[in-house]
């Protein structure tokens, strides 16, 4: 029997790549968007969802369960970026980021768990970020929202284990998506004490995304996770440096880790000039 997969944010970027990859391999795939009418040519159904609206979440899961009778895999992929000096990011924007990146996935998980318990099986894959393993300048809020989701996933995996429901996280590095165009950017006023450094960092962040890896690599890993009897609790996908950075943070004193990160950033700036 084909597994039923729900992917939030399946209309573009990583979510679209995952959906198309799984659809080709016989999975019953549903993606989501706040404006599904824009994606009528999608290779798999795109349903309406606002991850900040609990009513929208409940309607979505009810619709899929009524049609398919089950939900085997939930992939919490929908998320938004946010950048800026902590001091200058409005409180409402910080809350809005957590509503999408943290509370949205939590409410989706709550919505599918009763069905997964009833069918005595399920897999939840939460897309976090390598940024969630470390504090990075001008990305503190984003890192915090992804770190929160990562930690809650650890707890959920232990709580749902008796019901044969597995919860794993997948932390991507820099991949080629349109997240940069949808980020909230704190305004970089010239009279701001952060203006120069933040402007440089923002340019570098956008360059990293536009020159990132192919999201299909994540899709292939998702396929492997779904087909694994005993998936790992955490996966990291990215370049060699991106994958070892979380481990270096654990091993090195914070001062040396920060110096190393600054050195690597300088190297990447040099590479980007050519």
């Amino acid at each position: 029997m084909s597994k039923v997969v729900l992917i939030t944010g399946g209309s573009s970027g990583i979510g679209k790549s995952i959906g198309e990859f799984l659809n080709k391999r016989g999975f019953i795939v549903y993606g989501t968007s706040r404006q599904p009418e824009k994606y009528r040519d999608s290779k798999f159904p795109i349903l309406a969802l606002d991850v900040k609206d609990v009513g929208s979440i409940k309607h979505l899961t009810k619709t899929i369960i009524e049609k398919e009778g089950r939900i085997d895999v939930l992939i919490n992929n929908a998320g938004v970026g946010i950048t800026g000096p902590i001091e200058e990011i409005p409180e409402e924007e910080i809350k809005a980021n957590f509503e999408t990146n943290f509370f949205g996935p939590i409410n989706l998980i709550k919505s599918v768990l009763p069905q997964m318990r009833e069918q005595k099986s399920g897999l939840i894959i939460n897309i976090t970020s390598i940024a969630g393993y470390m504090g990075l300048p001008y990305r503190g809020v984003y890192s915090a929202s992804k770190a929160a989701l990562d930690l809650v996933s650890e707890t959920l995996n232990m709580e749902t284990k008796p019901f044969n429901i597995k919860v794993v996280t997948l932390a991507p590095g820099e991949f080629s998506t349109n997240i940069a165009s949808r980020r909230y950017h704190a305004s970089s006023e010239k009279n701001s004490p952060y203006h120069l450094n933040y402007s440089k960092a923002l340019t570098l962040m956008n360059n990293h995304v536009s020159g990132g890896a192919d999201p299909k690599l994540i899709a292939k890993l998702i396929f492997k996770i779904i087909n694994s009897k005993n998936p790992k609790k955490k996966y990291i996908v990215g370049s060699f440096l991106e994958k070892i950075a979380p481990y270096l943070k654990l091993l090195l004193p914070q001062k040396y880790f920060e110096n190393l990160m600054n050195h690597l950033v300088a190297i990447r700036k040099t590479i980007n000039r050519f």
Side-chain angles (χ1 to χ4, degrees):
M1 184 170 60
S2 297
K3 289 186 177 181
V4 179
V5 182
L6 168 57
I7 308 168
T8 65
S11 59
S12 63
I14 290 173
K16 181 180 179 181
S17 292
I18 295 170
E20 290 181 349
F21 192 88
L22 296 180
N23 182 62
K24 283 182 180 178
R25 283 149 185 82
F27 290 84
I28 300 170
V29 178
Y30 290 90
T32 72
S33 169
R34 284 179 296 176
Q35 297 176 302
E37 64 278 2
K38 290 185 175 181
Y39 305 100
R40 292 197 175 108
D41 60 345
S42 172
K43 295 179 181 178
F44 53 92
I46 302 292
L47 304 182
L49 174 67
D50 180 351
V51 296
K52 295 194 243 183
D53 184 342
V54 174
S56 177
I57 289 171
K58 289 181 178 179
H59 178 73
L60 170 73
T61 53
K62 181 182 178 183
T63 298
I64 295 174
I65 292 168
E66 286 180 348
K67 184 171 183 180
E68 304 294 347
R70 60 192 298 114
I71 295 178
D72 297 292
V73 183
L74 166 64
I75 303 174
N76 273 314
N77 165 71
V80 291
I82 183 170
T83 67
I86 299 296
E87 182 182 353
E88 297 182 356
I89 300 177
E91 181 181 347
E92 60 268 24
E93 294 297 341
I94 295 174
K95 289 179 178 178
N97 188 266
F98 269 77
E99 285 290 338
T100 298
N101 290 358
F102 180 70
F103 291 107
I106 294 299
N107 286 325
L108 274 150
I109 290 167
K110 287 182 176 182
S111 189
V112 303
L113 278 178
Q115 175 61 37
M116 288 183 172
R117 278 201 311 276
E118 183 178 326
Q119 64 199 36
K120 297 182 175 59
S121 67
L123 172 64
I124 297 167
I125 303 174
N126 291 325
I127 306 294
T128 58
S129 172
I130 289 178
Y133 289 110
M134 63 198 79
L136 298 169
Y138 311 113
R139 283 188 274 186
V141 173
Y142 180 75
S143 292
S145 67
K146 291 298 187 178
L149 182 59
D150 179 77
L151 193 58
V152 164
S153 299
E154 288 185 13
T155 300
L156 278 165
N157 186 64
M158 292 184 277
E159 291 176 350
T160 60
K161 187 175 181 180
F163 312 113
N164 194 33
I165 299 169
K166 300 176 176 66
V167 182
V168 307
T169 60
L170 190 157
E174 302 289 0
F175 280 81
S176 181
T177 69
N178 63 350
I179 190 172
S181 65
R182 295 181 287 108
R183 279 188 185 132
Y184 169 81
H185 301 294
S187 60
S188 181
E189 303 295 337
K190 290 188 177 180
N191 60 352
S192 165
Y194 303 99
H195 174 72
L196 182 60
N197 288 333
Y198 174 42
S199 297
K200 290 179 179 178
L202 192 55
T203 299
L204 192 61
M205 283 184 237
N206 292 339
N207 288 342
H208 288 174
V209 171
S210 60
D214 188 342
K216 192 173 181 180
L217 294 174
I218 297 177
K220 289 179 178 179
L221 180 53
I222 291 283
F223 178 73
K224 178 181 177 182
I225 293 169
I226 292 174
N227 286 291
S228 174
K229 289 184 178 180
N230 295 295
K232 297 189 296 184
K233 306 300 181 290
K234 297 177 186 287
Y235 293 83
I236 299 175
V237 56
S239 68
F240 174 74
L241 289 175
E242 287 173 330
K243 287 191 284 189
I244 66 168
Y247 301 101
L248 292 176
K249 180 175 172 60
L250 292 174
L251 294 172
L252 296 175
Q254 184 63 23
K255 178 176 68 174
Y256 293 113
F257 178 76
E258 288 180 8
N259 288 338
L260 176 61
M261 289 296 102
N262 289 333
H263 181 63
L264 292 177
V265 167
I267 292 174
R268 293 182 77 165
K269 282 181 181 178
T270 303
I271 292 172
N272 286 336
R273 291 195 189 106
F274 296 95

